[in-house]
Amino acid sequence: MTFAPESNGEISNIESPQNNDSIDVAFPILHGPMGEDGTVQGFLKLANIPFVGSSVLGSAVGMDKDVMKRLLRDSGIPIGKFLTFTDETEPLGFSKVVNLLGVPFFVKPANMGSSVGVGKVYDETTYQAAIELAFKFDLKIIIEEFIDGREIECSILGNRNPIASVIGEIKPRHDFYSYEAKYIDENGAELEIPARIPDVVADKAREIAIRTFKVLSAEGLGRVDMFLRQNGEVVVNEINTIPGFTKISMYPKLWEATGITYAELIDRLIQLALERFGREKKLRTSYL
């Protein structure tokens, strides 16, 4: 079947117009490009349909790790060192990257999720392989320094006045939190909720997570992934604007530990989507 957005809150069935459906609110659950990057969100805006989560800008910024990191850096939010290259620019040689970032380091597609296309580099051989792999998934790649620290995460909920959950920790049992560790190996990582960190550090991480959410124009929901260095410094890795949402995923589990049940969380997210839609409906879209 072929669908097209209407401006009246409907999705039309081109092959069978009599079967058009009216949608009260959409809940996007698509990860990665063509789902989490603003494309589906733009489709829903064209159709005048309320939807859960970030709008076009927040979704696009949250997906593009290069743009995301530049916005965070310019806002004074701590991030790791990184380099960016496109398919039209020759990446620096291995020795030059090592001089700038140290070793090991990571090579990633700029626009991808779930650790797809990510390589951890130790030497020139793995560097070339990682470059080739990353460019299979995007026309722009980033090279990030390896941060020796604990992997902590915070769930965010809200539009203009977001709130933060307790902090959780991921303890990978692989070399890093790879696609295999996340989705293939059922014992690939241990989730500790709440994380065993001092209250003052947890409070700082929550504050940084909320700032990150706001700076990146995120709305509705988001999971902010961070590193905790041994000296207590919190460094932001990235935001996920459509985090995993099964009952065993970190996002709802953090809220459950904070006092919001799975059912209550879904209800709040729908209400946030409708609240934003109501505000936007009051805006004029033409001069006349």
Side-chain angles (χ1 to χ4, degrees):
M1 291 187 292
T2 304
F3 297 97
E6 302 289 347
S7 60
N8 58 356
E10 290 188 349
I11 298 291
S12 64
N13 185 332
I14 294 176
E15 299 170 7
S16 181
Q18 68 273 16
N19 293 324
N20 288 0
D21 289 320
S22 179
I23 300 174
D24 295 324
V25 63
F27 199 137
I29 55 173
L30 303 168
H31 294 292
M34 304 303 169
E36 195 176 353
D37 60 355
T39 50
V40 167
Q41 290 74 14
F43 176 88
L44 293 169
K45 284 182 74 69
L46 285 172
N48 207 29
I49 296 172
F51 57 92
V52 170
S54 295
S55 193
V56 177
L57 176 61
S59 298
V61 167
M63 174 58 62
D64 192 309
K65 295 178 179 66
D66 168 49
V67 176
M68 176 201 308
K69 288 178 181 294
R70 285 191 276 131
L71 287 171
L72 294 175
R73 178 191 62 199
D74 293 349
S75 298
I77 293 174
I79 62 169
K81 292 182 289 186
F82 71 101
L83 304 168
T84 304
F85 301 96
T86 71
D87 63 330
E88 297 178 336
T89 59
E90 185 71 24
L92 293 176
F94 175 73
S95 61
K96 290 184 178 179
V97 174
V98 172
N99 288 338
L100 292 169
L101 303 182
V103 69
F105 55 83
F106 288 95
V107 177
K108 304 178 179 180
N111 290 273
M112 188 52 70
S114 300
S115 297
V116 173
V118 174
K120 190 173 183 180
V121 174
Y122 293 92
D123 52 38
E124 191 153 7
T125 300
T126 52
Y127 179 51
Q128 294 304 320
I131 291 289
E132 292 175 9
L133 176 63
F135 270 129
K136 288 181 179 180
F137 295 97
D138 198 10
L139 300 178
K140 180 168 64 170
I141 66 171
I142 62 169
I143 303 178
E144 299 176 340
E145 71 165 314
F146 168 74
I147 296 177
D148 185 13
R150 298 163 66 179
E151 298 187 36
I152 60 174
E153 299 186 348
C154 182
S155 294
I156 305 295
L157 175 68
N159 288 335
R160 291 180 167 179
N161 299 293
I163 58 174
S165 71
V166 300
I167 302 298
E169 181 176 1
I170 291 180
K171 298 180 176 180
R173 295 193 175 102
H174 291 223
D175 188 29
F176 66 98
Y177 202 31
S178 63
Y179 182 91
E180 289 74 14
K182 291 177 179 178
Y183 303 110
I184 297 177
D185 183 358
E186 61 182 18
N187 298 311
E190 175 188 352
L191 306 184
E192 188 170 88
I193 304 173
R196 296 180 184 178
I197 58 178
D199 290 344
V200 64
V201 175
D203 290 342
K204 179 169 65 174
R206 280 192 290 268
E207 185 268 332
I208 289 176
I210 289 176
R211 284 176 57 202
T212 296
F213 189 84
K214 290 181 175 180
V215 164
L216 299 177
S217 299
E219 297 169 285
L221 75 164
R223 193 193 70 236
V224 178
D225 300 345
M226 299 165 279
F227 294 106
L228 176 59
R229 296 186 191 268
Q230 293 183 359
N231 63 3
E233 181 188 13
V234 176
V235 179
V236 173
N237 182 31
E238 64 180 11
I239 189 173
N240 284 271
T241 55
I242 301 183
F245 213 99
T246 70
K247 290 188 177 181
I248 61 171
S249 297
M250 183 67 102
Y251 184 84
K253 286 178 72 69
L254 286 173
W255 281 119
E256 185 178 20
T258 309
I260 300 176
T261 67
Y262 193 79
E264 290 172 334
L265 185 56
I266 292 174
D267 184 65
R268 286 204 194 187
L269 288 168
I270 291 172
Q271 292 303 317
L272 286 167
L274 294 172
E275 180 267 329
R276 179 184 62 194
F277 184 75
R279 282 192 286 110
E280 291 180 346
K281 287 286 286 183
K282 297 176 183 178
L283 298 173
R284 294 177 60 176
T285 57
S286 65
Y287 181 72
L288 299 178

